[in-house]
Amino acid sequence: MSTPDLQQLAHDIKLWASELGFDQVGITDTDLSLEEPRLQAWLDAGHHGSMDYMARHGMMRARPHELLPGTLRVLSVRMNYLPFEAGFAATLRDPTLGYISRYALGRDYHKVLRNRLKQLRDRIEQRCRELCQATGEWRPFVDSAPILERPLAAKAGLGWIGKHSLLLNESVGSFFFLGELLISLPLPLDAPVEKEQCGKCVACINICPTGAIVAPYVVDGRRCISYLTIENDGPIPEEFRPLMGNRIYGCDDCQLICPWNRYADVSPEPDFSPRPNLHRPPLLALWRWSESEFLKHTEGSPIRRIGYQRWRRNLAVALGNGPATPDVIAALQLAQDEAEPMVAEHIAWALATLARRQQDDSKKTRLLIRCIEKGLPDHA
């Protein structure tokens, strides 16, 4: 294929990607050699926790051409997902509600992006047949293979990696999904962003509830609420439970505080619209779901992958961090005897936490009454 043909194809690919609902696409090569020492240091420090798959393929994550031999270019795409009326603060400030990371309120993004990438691949293959009667083996990926998607997206000009380790774009912030299409054509490359634009800002580091951003650009997954509520399949360490608040699936704090997200675009994609039963849901209503109801309500949702027991574990922690109402205590007690051991342990923690809160509230009430009786200033 001639150079003019490749340049025209690159132009057409971006046009087709836009027609398919992608908000941006960039083209890069497969050289991530500069990322290999960083990846190895992160793994050596154990920051991946129990995510064994992060280490399983060695440095293949930084070598797309080994993942799919013959790969010459990576098409990196992004798709915005911020829903209308995201209700960030309204949900986080109400301890009776469950907070779900905004990317998970609608349909599973893996399916949405992968289907669109397949359609993009089909259009490219058709054009290649028209031009030279030859096609290569091209594969789409959406968080589904050992590949460093954020460094690739940065090289492709989609943004820069922020201090919270997420990709940032100066026009739209960070509320978007990434996907990749590995191809065997020497398409012209897009230029990366000249430099990261976080400057001296450390808002994301300071806001993290559990201190998971242990250094600029370095996240210790073992401390991250997203890891604790989604990837972690065991008990949540007690030291982190009070810090989780009402976050039951993921966490958006580092994105919410980021100044660049003042420019975040709301997504018109219907698949990313919040499901009513997951948008600002009462914790007690979620707690009362049976396993069959959980499966029904999370069908086609990324939430289903954590399973019912981890879902209950997360809810128990959130209920323990909320008001010590009779309804909450009764609901936890009712479930304790028949709960799986891991969930039962978190229920026990929640009940003990609520009991201490009741005692503290009772002490404050008694002190207030004594102050009123003695005519003293109210310092309660």
Side-chain angles (χ1 to χ4, degrees), residues 8-59:
Q8 183 61 46
L9 179 58
H11 175 272
D12 291 341
I13 286 172
K14 294 175 182 180
L15 178 62
W16 298 332
S18 177
E19 292 173 351
L20 289 168
F22 293 112
D23 294 288
Q24 189 178 0
V25 58
I27 303 170
T28 184
D29 58 30
T30 64
D31 181 14
L32 292 178
S33 55
L34 293 177
E35 295 297 323
E36 293 190 17
R38 298 173 189 151
L39 173 59
Q40 192 60 58
W42 187 77
L43 292 170
D44 290 345
H47 291 330
H48 58 302
S50 63
M51 296 183 289
D52 296 335
Y53 59 86
M54 292 297 297
R56 191 174 303 138
H57 299 281
M59 287 299 107

Side-chain angles (χ1 to χ4, degrees), residues 130-374:
E130 294 171 355
L131 292 173
C132 58
Q133 292 80 46
T135 62
E137 183 183 0
W138 305 338
R139 290 176 58 188
F141 296 103
V142 183
D143 199 21
S144 57
I147 191 169
L148 295 179
E149 62 178 11
R150 279 167 284 184
L152 284 169
K155 283 198 69 177
L158 270 59
W160 73 93
I161 295 177
K163 293 178 182 177
H164 47 21
S165 83
L166 301 174
L167 195 76
L168 279 167
N169 181 291
E170 66 176 340
S171 299
V172 297
S174 62
F175 289 107
F176 51 78
F177 299 122
L178 295 173
E180 299 79 38
L181 184 62
L182 275 54
I183 65 175
S184 56
L185 292 174
L187 296 171
L189 302 175
D190 288 309
V193 174
E194 290 187 3
K195 63 177 181 178
E196 63 90 5
Q197 300 180 54
C198 292
K200 297 180 180 179
C201 179
V202 290
C204 59
I205 296 175
N206 294 335
I207 198 67
C208 180
T210 55
I213 308 174
V214 295
Y217 316 104
V218 181
V219 174
D220 186 345
R222 297 167 297 184
R223 303 182 65 89
C224 178
I225 292 176
S226 288
Y227 167 85
L228 293 170
T229 57
I230 300 172
E231 302 294 342
N232 169 42
D233 60 2
I236 295 171
E238 285 196 35
E239 63 180 300
F240 299 130
R241 296 177 194 178
L243 306 175
M244 291 169 56
N246 61 344
R247 299 167 184 84
I248 58 174
Y249 188 92
C251 177
D252 292 321
D253 284 29
C254 63
Q255 297 193 83
L256 288 174
I257 199 67
C258 179
W260 289 103
N261 272 321
R262 69 167 67 100
Y263 306 117
D265 284 340
V266 171
S267 172
E269 176 57 54
D271 282 327
F272 300 149
S273 296
R275 299 183 178 193
N277 56 10
L278 297 176
H279 190 43
R280 305 191 70 230
L283 286 168
L284 265 182
L286 300 180
W287 181 254
R288 293 185 175 118
W289 283 359
S290 64
E291 184 167 9
S292 61
E293 288 173 319
F294 167 79
L295 293 173
K296 175 184 176 182
H297 293 313
T298 60
E299 185 175 1
S301 161
I303 296 173
R304 181 185 271 208
R305 66 182 285 254
I306 69 172
Y308 185 61
Q309 298 308 320
R310 277 190 269 180
W311 175 249
R312 298 278 281 177
R313 174 200 64 187
N314 298 347
L315 288 171
V317 172
L319 288 168
N321 288 328
T325 64
D327 285 348
V328 168
I329 293 172
L332 288 168
Q333 289 174 334
L334 183 64
Q336 190 169 24
D337 289 342
E338 296 183 1
E340 295 285 335
M342 180 181 68
V343 177
E345 188 270 319
H346 287 74
I347 292 175
W349 175 86
L351 287 169
T353 302
L354 293 171
R356 287 193 296 272
R357 190 169 301 127
Q358 282 183 315
Q359 291 176 352
D360 292 342
D361 291 344
S362 179
K363 289 179 182 178
K364 290 179 181 178
T365 300
R366 290 197 299 270
L367 177 60
L368 176 60
I369 292 173
R370 287 199 295 269
C371 288
I372 293 173
E373 290 175 344
K374 294 180 179 181

